[in-house]
Amino acid sequence: MTDYTIERKKSFTLTAYGFSIHSNFQDMSALQKEKAAFWGKLKADGRFDKLKNAAKDDREWSVNEVYQGKPWNYFAVEAGKSVVDATRIIEFPESEYIVVAGTGEKEALFDQLTYLAFGEVLSHITDYAYIGGPNATYRQDNGDGTFYGEFWVPVVQK
C-alpha cells in the first residue's frame, strides 16, 4: 500500500477558479480531458496568471469539492491579496488529514496523488474516515523538471 501520514493541519483558505464536473468519476480519461480543457482555458484567458500573481507562495492547488449538490474541480492558490472574480473562496477546517506525498511530472501529479489517496489509502484504512468536504492536492517545482506534491483529505478517527 502507498505510504501516508496522518497530520493535524491548521485551517487554511484557498482562492480558486473552478468548474462543475460533468464526467463520470469512474471514467478517468474523460475526467482528465475535462480538467485539462478547463485548466487550458485558465491559462489562455489570463486567470491562471492572475491567481499565481496573488499567491503567497509557489504552491499550485487542485481542489475537489461537492458544492450545491454538484462535483467541482478548482485551480487554487493561498492568496495574499484579493482576486475579485474568483469562483470560490474555499475554507479548509483545522482537522486531521491523511497526507499522501509523491514526486512526478507536473501535469500528472494531481491525478496520480488523488488516485493513490482514494484508490489505495482510504480503501484500506479502518481507524479513520473521510469526513467529506473539500480535499486538495498541491504541487511545487523541484527545480529539476519534477514536482513534489501532497494530497490532503480531511478525516476523523472512528
Side-chain angles (χ1 to χ4, degrees), residues 93-104:
E94 180 170 342
S95 179
E96 299 291 329
Y97 285 80
I98 289 176
V99 177
V100 178
T103 303

Side-chain angles (χ1 to χ4, degrees), residues 80-113:
K81 57 186 175 181
S82 177
V83 179
V84 295
D85 65 338
T87 306
R88 293 247 309 122
I89 306 298
I90 306 166
E91 303 282 337
F92 289 80
E94 180 170 342
S95 179
E96 299 291 329
Y97 285 80
I98 289 176
V99 177
V100 178
T103 303
E105 296 177 12
K106 181 178 184 175
E107 299 307 322
L109 192 57
F110 286 147
D111 289 331
Q112 173 189 329
L113 293 174

